[in-house]
């Protein structure tokens, strides 16, 4: 069926590019989609290292499912609950689901905090949760502060249909991209000068893409900052269970239990099972708010993105199995730690450093600034194209995360098997050694292909803004 | 423990504090009365019977039977290796097998009289999300959609709350059985223009909720012509298409388009869901089917906020691609709904109550205007309250559906057993008898 194009207007939201798909973050995925690596069928294909998925523990899940057929409403053992579950569309969610999620969240935080199941609100994944929270807290034109570098999806999730703005809070590699009070204050003041009303601060802890956690001091400073300015604090803790080595994860919930002054109505947590459990397809997003009005409003809005009752039922059953949950969390951490070790070691062997403070997440924050022709984002993009097309790895360039300094790349390591990981490492080794051996100027390596950068304006604005002189990163060792 | 600071609370958004979520309407107040005192055959025989919830519970045995016979195909119970791939699948295109199954199912419901391309099927978590999403795409804040009255109360929230769009009613009345006329369409449009409101589209529900009747072919043609004349969009919510009592009586906008050779079809978008026809509201399965490429692409991107659980897509892909099963289900479901409808119509007639002639849906549109103290909205609400508290039936007053004529009520009949329906009919009968005696 071919339909003639008519002059029918769509909304401004529909006609714009707020969907964010023109960012390089997604360009790389397209390169992967058209030539995906497969160990046997396509060994020279592009290896996907731009997707932060957790695929390390499915064996545990599958065992559990095999032993718990009642968790599914499709099995002979579970079908007697089919009708009740299929009819259940109450936006409060199945009580057993909320209880199980609350308990799981507590366990992930070492049982150092408690969560009230009545404050748990479902959403269509963390994607839906973020958009809903933005709808609840801010009017069109108002803004959230977001420390850089940050997850590219935020540009769409928090801004597209809501009309809310995002204001970056800068960071520096010289102190491992920490969130500083000074940077927060600066960003807030700049917004004021631009007549933009700041409604809140959004932090991701553990951080995507850094894979680091906020320490106690920083968290306390953030709490004091938002109270002083009387703005909201949204904490995305989607990677909470991926903290694989010391120090332990400190949730904002823990800080609130300490001796600290805070208006609880300002604090909200976003969570999901997509990363910790590896279930992105199930669309289990959670808003946990300490603010009654926000709980009530978000709950009503959740009508637009409820979790399938079939999924709620299964998750409720799985996450109330204490023994299983404990085992899962432990094993997952161990496997992530092992992957992280192998990868960082493999990279170190060719003198590539990653952020040393990283002890969480499904990725590494890799410093390739030493390989740049010049310390610019254009050079970063040029290097990125080489990595995609010659090295055949889809990694994510730092500029797509609004990183203030060029040369950083996010590399995911938990979405593949061991063999593929070794292939990826050997490709990197080959590339770096070749680059060192040939003393040819890097210009010859620049790939002049058709991978166009169709950057949205905000991205252009960002990379063209004045930067402070970029210090030589101490993390890059001299290559000789 | 955090020392709580008392501060003037930092504002939430305007959207958050507005009342457009619509939960203060009597439509929902009746539900609360039911929740506090729910009828149960044995444990609470004098409780409130819920007749305000348009659920389809008459055909679950067919679904359960399917699952029992096909548990391998639809479950992971045996540790099927498919779980991993499925749990990872978050592509907003949706499972191809599921889209194909949905397209095929929609074709079957329309007796093969319209074809659906699986690549135009966009998946959303329920029709609630689909309607909101379409509104975000078709209208800017302040723009309006024309909606015929009476209409589903949820539209006030779904179409307006977060989108900032307006609803301008197309007034329909009993003089022609609440059918939509070109006159009414034009009047609504002109009214909007006079208020400086930009009209972006017409949204119809076919079969209609709350009328429980399909829209006639000639009326559909008129509505499509009107939309073309004004160069606006046409959204057809066909969520009850599989709940028509006889297959031939439902005419989809898709059929009209096919007959016209798809000329000028980019303005048309269909909303569907499995919540009513299959009785699966908890699974959150909605779709947008658009004849407009840009709308399909944009809707797909927006569906990121409201994807269907891949686990549910997998189950339903398996179920709905079993053509033998779906054919049997569709036929049997129609028949059972028809029987229920006839049972309630007869029972109401015996009590001296007439309803609009219906041929679809999970409810009937009951006329209690002769019982009103005053032919006003207040009179209707007073009658509704007495039915709720004395007769202990939760039915939906027409005013919550924006009906311009007082005295009409929507009464659901498919969300209970036959026995419970008998009890409800008996109560109505007694109520009417008492009123007759009181009048003498």
């Amino acid at each position: 069926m071919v339909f003639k194009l008519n002059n029918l207007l769509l909304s401004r939201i529909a006609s714009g590019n707020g969907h964010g798909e023109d960012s390089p973050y997604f360009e790389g995925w397209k390169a992967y989609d058209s030539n995906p690596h497969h160990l046997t069928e396509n060994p020279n294909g592009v290896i996907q290292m731009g997707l932060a998925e957790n695929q390390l523990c499915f064996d545990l899940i599958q065992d559990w499912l095999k032993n718990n057929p009642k968790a599914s409403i499709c099995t002979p053992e579970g079908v007697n609950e089919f009708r009740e579950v299929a009819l259940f569309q109450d936006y409060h969610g199945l009580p057993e689901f909320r209880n199980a999620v609350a308990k799981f969240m507590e366990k992930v935080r070492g049982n150092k905090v408690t969560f009230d199941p009545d404050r748990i609100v479902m959403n269509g994944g963390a994607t839906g949760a973020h958009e809903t929270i933005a709808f609840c807290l801010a009017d069109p034109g108002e803004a959230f502060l977001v420390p850089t570098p940050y997850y590219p999806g935020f540009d769409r999730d928090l801004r597209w249909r809501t009309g809310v703005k995002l204001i970056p809070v800068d960071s520096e590699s010289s102190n491992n991209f920490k969130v500083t009070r000074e940077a927060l204050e600066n960003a807030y003041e700049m917004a004021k000068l631009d007549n933009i009303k700041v409604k809140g601060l959004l932090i991701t802890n553990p951080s995507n893409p850094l894979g680091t956690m906020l320490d106690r001091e920083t968290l306390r400073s953030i709490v004091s900052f938002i109270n002083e300015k009387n703005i909201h604090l949204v904490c995305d803790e989607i990677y909470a269970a991926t903290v694989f080595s010391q120090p332990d994860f400190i949730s904002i919930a823990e800080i609130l239990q300490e001796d600290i002054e805070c208006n609880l109505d300002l604090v909200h947590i976003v969570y999901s099972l997509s990363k910790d459990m590896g279930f992105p397809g199930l669309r289990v997003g959670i808003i946990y708010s300490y603010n009654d009005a926000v709980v009530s409003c978000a709950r009503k809005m959740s009508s637009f993105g409820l979790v399938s009752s079939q999924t709620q039922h299964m998750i409720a059953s799985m996450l109330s199995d204490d023994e299983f949950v404990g085992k899962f969390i432990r094993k997952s951490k161990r496997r992530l730690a092992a992957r992280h070790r192998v990868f960082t070691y493999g990279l170190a062997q060719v003198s590539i450093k990653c952020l040393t403070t990283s002890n969480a997440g499904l990725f590494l924050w890799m410093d390739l600034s030493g390989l740049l022709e010049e310390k610019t984002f254009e050079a970063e993009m040029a290097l990125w194209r080489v990595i995609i097309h010659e090295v055949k790895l889809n990694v994510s360039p730092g500029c797509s995360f609004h990183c203030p300094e060029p040369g950083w790349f996010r590399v995911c390591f938990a979405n593949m098997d061991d063999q593929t990981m070794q292939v990826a490492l050997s490709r990197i080794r080959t590339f770096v050694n070749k680059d060192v051996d040939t003393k040819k100027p890097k210009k010859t390596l620049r790939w002049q292909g058709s991978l166009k950068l169709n950057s949205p304006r905000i991205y252009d604005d960002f990379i063209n803004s004045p930067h402070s002189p970029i210090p030589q990163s101490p993390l890059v060792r001299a290559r000789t | 423990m955090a020392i709580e600071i008392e501060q003037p609370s930092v504002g939430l958004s305007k959207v958050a504090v507005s009342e457009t979520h619509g939960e203060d309407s009597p439509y929902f107040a009746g539900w609360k009365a039911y929740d506090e005192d729910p009828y149960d055959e044995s444990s609470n025989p004098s409780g409130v019977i819920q007749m305000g919830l348009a659920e389809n519970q008459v055909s679950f045995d067919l679904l359960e039977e399917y699952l029992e016979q096909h548990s391998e195909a639809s479950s992971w119970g045996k540790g099927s290796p498919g779980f991993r791939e499925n749990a990872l699948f978050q592509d907003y295109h949706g499972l191809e097998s599921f889209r194909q199954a949905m397209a095929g199912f929609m074709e079957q419901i329309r007796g093969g009289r319209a074809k659906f391309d699986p690549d135009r099927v966009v998946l959303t978590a329920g029709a609630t999300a689909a309607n909101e999403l379409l509104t975000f795409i078709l209208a800017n804040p302040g723009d309006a959609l024309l909606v015929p009255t009476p209409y589903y109360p949820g539209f006030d929230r779904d179409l307006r709350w977060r989108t900032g769009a307006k609803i301008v009613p197309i007034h329909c009345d009993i003089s022609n059985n609440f059918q939509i006329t070109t006159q009414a369409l034009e009047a609504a449009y002109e009214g909007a223009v006079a208020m400086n409101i930009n009209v972006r589209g017409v949204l119809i529900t076919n079969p209609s909720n709350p009328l429980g009747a399909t829209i006639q072919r000639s009326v559909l043609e008129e509505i499509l012509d009107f939309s073309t004349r004004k160069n606006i969009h046409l959204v057809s919510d066909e969520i009850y298409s599989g709940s028509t009592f006889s297959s031939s009586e439902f005419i989809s906008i898709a059929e009209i388009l096919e007959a016209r050779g798809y000329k000028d079809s980019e303005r048309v978008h269909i909303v569907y869901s499995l919540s009513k026809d299959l009785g699966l509201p908890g699974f959150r399965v909605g779709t947008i089917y658009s004849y407009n490429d840009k709308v399909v692409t944009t809707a797909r991107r927006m569906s990121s906020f409201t994807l269907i659980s891949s686990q549910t897509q997998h189950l339903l892909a398996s179920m709905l691609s079993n053509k033998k099963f779906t054919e049997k289900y569709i036929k049997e479901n129609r028949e059972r709904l028809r029987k229920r409808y006839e049972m309630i119509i007869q029972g109401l007639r015996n009590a001296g109550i007439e309803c609009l002639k219906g041929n679809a849906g999970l409810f009937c549109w009951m006329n209690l205007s002769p019982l009103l103290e005053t032919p006003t909205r207040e009179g209707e609400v007073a009658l509704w309250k007495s039915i709720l508290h004395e007769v202990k039936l939760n039915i939906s007053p027409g005013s919550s559906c924006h009906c311009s004529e007082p005295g009409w009520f929507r009464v659901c009949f498919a969300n209970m057993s036959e026995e419970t329906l008998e009890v409800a009919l008996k109560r109505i009968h007694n109520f009417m008898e008492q009123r007759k005696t009181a009048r003498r």
Side-chain angles (χ1 to χ4, degrees):
Chain A
M1 300 176 206
V2 176
F3 303 107
K4 216 174 50 168
L5 256 186
N6 202 337
N7 207 9
L8 258 180
L9 285 178
L10 299 187
S11 67
R12 284 187 288 273
I13 285 177
S15 313
N17 58 2
H19 50 74
E21 286 192 12
D22 305 325
S23 145
Y25 187 70
F26 298 102
E27 292 274 350
W29 290 14
K30 289 171 197 163
Y32 165 78
D33 282 339
S34 51
N35 183 18
H37 172 265
H38 187 274
L39 269 172
T40 43
E41 287 167 31
N42 189 18
N44 294 321
V46 176
I47 298 179
Q48 175 63 288
M49 305 192 81
L51 192 50
E53 276 176 356
N54 183 355
Q55 296 191 19
L56 303 184
C57 290
F58 276 113
D59 57 323
L60 304 175
I61 306 279
Q62 274 161 200
D63 272 342
W64 187 89
L65 286 172
K66 209 170 11 173
N67 298 326
N68 293 274
K70 275 197 79 173
S72 162
I73 48 178
C74 306
T75 58
E77 296 88 341
V79 76
N80 58 319
E81 292 201 72
F82 178 82
R83 185 192 167 112
E84 217 179 291
V85 170
L87 283 172
F88 188 86
Q89 59 172 328
D90 180 347
Y91 60 29
H92 289 83
L94 286 172
E96 55 267 31
F97 169 74
R98 277 184 290 117
N99 290 339
V101 170
K103 234 176 12 149
F104 181 72
M105 288 172 70
E106 288 171 358
K107 266 219 175 59
V108 164
R109 290 153 183 74
N111 287 318
K112 286 183 250 172
V113 298
T114 51
F115 287 108
D116 176 1
D118 290 337
R119 291 192 171 282
I120 292 210
V121 178
M122 299 181 281
N123 265 282
T127 300
H130 276 296
E131 190 194 48
T132 296
I133 259 284
F135 268 123
C136 287
L137 303 181
D139 290 330
E142 295 180 339
F144 275 87
L145 303 178
V146 193
T148 64
Y150 64 81
Y151 163 59
F154 283 159
D155 288 329
R156 171 199 61 191
D157 300 347
L158 290 151
R159 303 183 318 160
W160 190 17
R161 306 192 301 183
T162 61
V164 166
K165 291 175 164 39
L166 289 184
I167 295 175
V169 177
D170 276 343
S171 54
E172 292 175 28
S173 62
S174 57
N175 69 346
N176 295 322
F177 298 98
K178 273 178 89 152
V179 179
T180 65
R181 184 62 176 258
E182 194 188 328
L184 288 171
E185 298 276 1
N186 280 342
Y188 187 85
E189 290 311 312
M190 294 288 291
K192 233 161 104 181
L193 287 175
D194 285 337
N195 258 322
I196 299 174
K197 183 151 202 266
V198 173
K199 281 310 269 291
L201 166 63
L202 167 64
I203 60 174
T204 306
N205 179 33
S207 159
N208 172 12
L210 301 175
T212 55
M213 291 173 354
L214 296 176
D215 57 37
R216 184 164 263 111
E217 198 189 315
T218 307
L219 283 167
R220 289 180 71 94
S221 173
I222 285 173
V223 169
S224 121
F225 171 75
I226 57 130
N227 277 278
E228 187 187 295
K229 308 291 187 226
N230 202 22
I231 61 176
H232 291 281
L233 175 61
V234 179
C235 303
D236 185 342
E237 301 193 342
I238 197 176
Y239 291 99
T242 66
V243 176
F244 50 75
S245 64
Q246 292 291 313
D248 278 342
F249 173 59
I250 305 170
S251 163
I252 193 70
E254 212 184 304
I255 302 294
L256 294 181
Q257 282 177 183
E258 291 175 0
D259 181 18
I260 190 170
E261 283 193 12
C262 183
N263 176 3
L264 291 180
D265 279 347
L266 296 177
V267 186
H268 326 276
I269 299 177
V270 167
Y271 186 58
S272 158
L273 298 182
S274 300
K275 309 296 178 181
D276 288 350
M277 301 282 309
F279 292 162
L282 302 185
R283 314 316 298 149
V284 182
I286 303 288
I287 290 176
Y288 186 93
S289 177
Y290 293 88
N291 180 321
D292 292 348
V294 172
V295 169
S296 170
C297 179
R299 188 163 278 150
K300 294 179 168 103
M301 286 189 183
S302 69
S303 302
F304 299 111
L306 295 173
V307 175
S308 165
S309 53
Q310 176 195 19
T311 301
Q312 289 184 50
H313 177 83
M314 181 190 75
I315 295 294
S317 183
M318 193 185 283
L319 297 188
S320 2
D321 185 336
D322 288 333
E323 205 196 307
F324 167 74
V325 167
K327 180 172 83 172
F328 181 92
I329 293 175
R330 272 191 322 269
K331 287 209 166 165
S332 176
K333 280 186 209 269
R334 249 181 268 144
R335 295 178 187 184
L336 285 170
R339 270 296 165 93
H340 183 264
R341 243 189 339 263
V342 170
F343 235 97
T344 43
Y345 179 71
L347 292 175
Q349 290 203 301
V350 285
S351 307
I352 293 180
K353 276 273 194 165
C354 298
L355 201 59
T356 48
T357 45
S358 137
N359 69 332
L362 310 173
F363 33 69
L364 296 170
W365 190 233
M366 186 169 68
D367 183 6
L368 296 184
S369 55
L371 295 180
L372 295 182
E373 261 205 48
E374 39 185 38
K375 296 268 188 288
T376 63
F377 288 103
E378 285 76 22
E380 178 183 286
M381 290 309 301
L383 176 58
W384 175 65
R385 283 185 203 111
V386 169
I387 297 176
I388 297 261
H389 292 279
E390 283 201 19
V391 194
K392 304 275 191 69
L393 300 177
N394 178 33
V395 299
S396 311
C399 56
S400 64
F401 294 88
H402 303 277
C403 184
E405 298 174 17
W408 293 85
F409 291 80
R410 190 191 76 171
V411 186
C412 299
F413 58 65
N415 63 319
M416 61 189 71
D417 55 36
D418 287 328
Q419 288 159 286
T420 309
M421 184 183 60
Q422 292 299 344
V423 172
L425 280 172
S426 80
R427 285 186 190 179
I428 295 174
R429 269 197 297 273
T430 311
F431 168 65
V432 174
N433 289 335
K434 182 168 83 169
D435 186 60
V436 168
D437 288 346
T438 68
K439 301 272 194 233
K440 285 192 205 140
K442 283 212 203 55
K443 269 200 169 71
T444 62
L445 288 179
R446 185 175 285 156
W447 187 81
Q448 308 279 338
S450 63
L451 193 67
K452 275 196 176 39
L453 225 206
N454 198 3
S455 43
R457 209 150 32 101
I458 186 111
Y459 158 66
D460 282 345
D461 287 345
F462 195 81
I463 64 167
N464 290 328
S465 63
H467 289 288
S468 52
I470 295 155
Q472 179 64 274
S473 170
L475 299 176
V476 175
R477 271 195 280 151
R479 286 178 303 109
T480 43
Chain B
M1 201 55 214
I3 300 162
E4 295 198 38
I5 300 179
E6 287 300 321
Q7 280 221 40
S9 58
V10 60
L12 300 188
S13 64
K14 295 196 180 79
V15 162
V17 302
S18 83
E19 308 247 295
T20 320
H21 51 73
E23 287 196 13
D24 306 323
S25 127
Y27 185 71
F28 298 100
W31 290 13
K32 290 177 195 151
Y34 166 78
D35 283 337
E36 285 157 16
D37 181 21
Y39 170 85
D40 182 282
E41 206 177 338
S42 32
S43 61
N44 190 18
S46 59
V48 176
I49 297 179
Q50 174 63 288
M51 304 190 86
L53 191 49
E55 273 177 2
N56 181 358
Q57 295 193 22
V58 308
S59 302
F60 267 117
D61 58 315
L62 301 176
L63 298 175
E64 282 154 359
E65 183 187 66
Y66 171 87
L67 288 172
E68 274 155 20
Q69 293 170 356
H70 298 87
S71 65
E72 288 293 333
S74 44
S75 76
W76 321 106
K78 311 292 175 195
S80 157
F83 177 82
R84 180 172 168 278
E85 281 67 39
N86 186 259
L88 286 171
F89 187 85
Q90 58 172 329
D91 181 349
Y92 61 32
H93 289 81
L95 279 179
E96 190 175 0
S97 56
F98 180 55
R99 272 185 294 116
Q100 283 166 345
M102 276 298 272
F105 188 64
M106 287 169 74
E107 285 174 0
Q108 265 185 309
I109 285 176
R110 290 155 185 73
R113 297 185 299 270
K115 292 225 103 6
F116 290 101
D117 175 0
D119 289 336
R120 291 192 171 281
V121 173
V122 177
L123 303 173
T124 63
T128 300
N131 281 314
E132 187 198 44
L133 202 149
L134 265 180
T135 307
F136 268 121
I137 292 178
L138 305 180
N140 291 316
D143 290 346
L145 293 176
L146 304 183
V147 185
T149 66
Y151 62 77
Y152 162 57
F155 282 159
D156 287 328
R157 171 197 60 191
D158 301 348
L159 306 177
R160 303 183 319 158
W161 190 20
R162 305 191 306 180
T163 61
K166 294 177 162 41
I167 293 178
V168 169
I170 302 165
H171 291 295
C172 304
D173 57 59
I174 187 55
S175 63
N176 68 342
N177 291 326
F178 295 99
Q179 286 186 82
I180 303 160
T181 63
T182 302
Q183 208 177 16
L185 286 163
E186 294 279 0
Y189 188 89
E190 294 311 315
V193 166
M195 288 191 288
N196 259 324
I197 297 174
N198 208 359
V199 174
R200 295 303 280 250
V202 179
L203 187 144
I204 59 175
T205 306
N206 178 29
S208 160
N209 172 11
L211 301 177
T214 55
I215 300 182
Q216 292 177 20
R217 182 183 294 272
S218 55
V219 177
L220 285 173
E221 304 262 14
E222 274 183 49
I223 297 171
L224 184 53
D225 290 337
F226 170 80
S227 309
T228 309
R229 269 199 315 277
K230 305 291 186 203
N231 195 23
I232 57 179
H233 294 275
L234 173 56
V235 179
S236 180
D237 185 340
E238 304 191 346
I239 196 176
Y240 291 100
S241 45
S243 304
T244 324
F245 309 150
S246 137
S247 160
S248 54
E249 290 191 29
F250 169 64
I251 297 158
S252 166
I253 196 72
E255 292 174 58
I256 309 280
L257 289 177
E258 197 162 299
R260 293 183 181 199
Y262 296 102
K263 177 166 172 290
D264 210 27
S265 54
E266 309 82 53
R267 66 182 72 258
V268 181
H269 326 279
I270 298 176
V271 168
Y272 186 57
S273 158
L274 299 180
S275 299
K276 309 297 179 183
D277 293 347
L278 281 186
L280 305 174
F283 287 1
R284 312 319 297 148
V285 181
T287 85
I288 295 170
Y289 188 92
S290 176
Y291 295 88
N292 182 316
D293 292 349
K294 185 98 210 283
V295 171
V296 169
T297 307
T298 309
R300 195 161 273 151
R301 290 182 171 138
M302 273 191 194
S303 70
S304 302
F305 299 111
T306 183
L307 296 174
I308 301 178
S309 167
S310 51
Q311 178 192 23
T312 302
Q313 291 188 49
H314 172 85
L315 162 62
L316 294 172
S318 137
M319 197 186 272
L320 296 185
S321 42
N322 186 325
K323 293 279 187 251
K324 214 170 117 202
F325 166 72
T326 50
E327 204 176 308
K328 172 173 139 189
Y329 179 93
I330 291 170
K331 189 155 164 265
E332 186 66 33
N333 182 51
R334 286 195 207 282
E335 188 52 31
R336 294 182 188 187
L337 288 174
R338 188 186 60 77
K339 283 209 178 91
R340 274 297 171 96
Y341 174 77
E342 276 165 18
M343 182 180 156
I344 195 175
I345 293 300
Q346 195 53 50
L348 289 174
R349 191 165 287 147
N350 292 343
I353 298 175
E354 288 301 321
C355 296
L356 184 76
K357 180 144 179 28
N359 64 348
L362 312 173
F363 33 71
C364 56
W365 189 234
M366 183 170 74
N367 185 5
L368 293 184
S369 54
L371 273 62
L372 294 182
E373 293 267 350
T374 55
T376 60
R377 190 174 180 275
E378 290 70 29
E380 178 186 285
V381 174
L383 178 59
W384 169 71
K385 283 202 180 112
S386 68
I387 293 177
L388 181 60
H389 295 289
E390 294 168 27
V391 193
K392 302 282 200 77
L393 299 178
N394 178 34
I395 58 181
S396 312
S399 47
S400 66
C401 303
H402 300 277
C403 186
S404 42
E405 303 193 351
W408 290 86
F409 291 80
R410 189 191 78 168
V411 187
C412 298
F413 56 68
N415 61 316
M416 62 188 72
S417 66
E418 261 186 49
E419 291 75 26
T420 308
L421 185 52
E422 292 283 6
V423 173
L425 286 170
K426 206 170 286 160
R427 289 187 191 177
I428 294 175
H429 203 265
N430 293 343
F431 172 70
M432 293 299 282
E433 285 296 313
Q434 280 169 21
R435 287 186 77 107
K436 251 192 268 171
T437 337
R439 287 229 178 89
R440 286 201 195 111

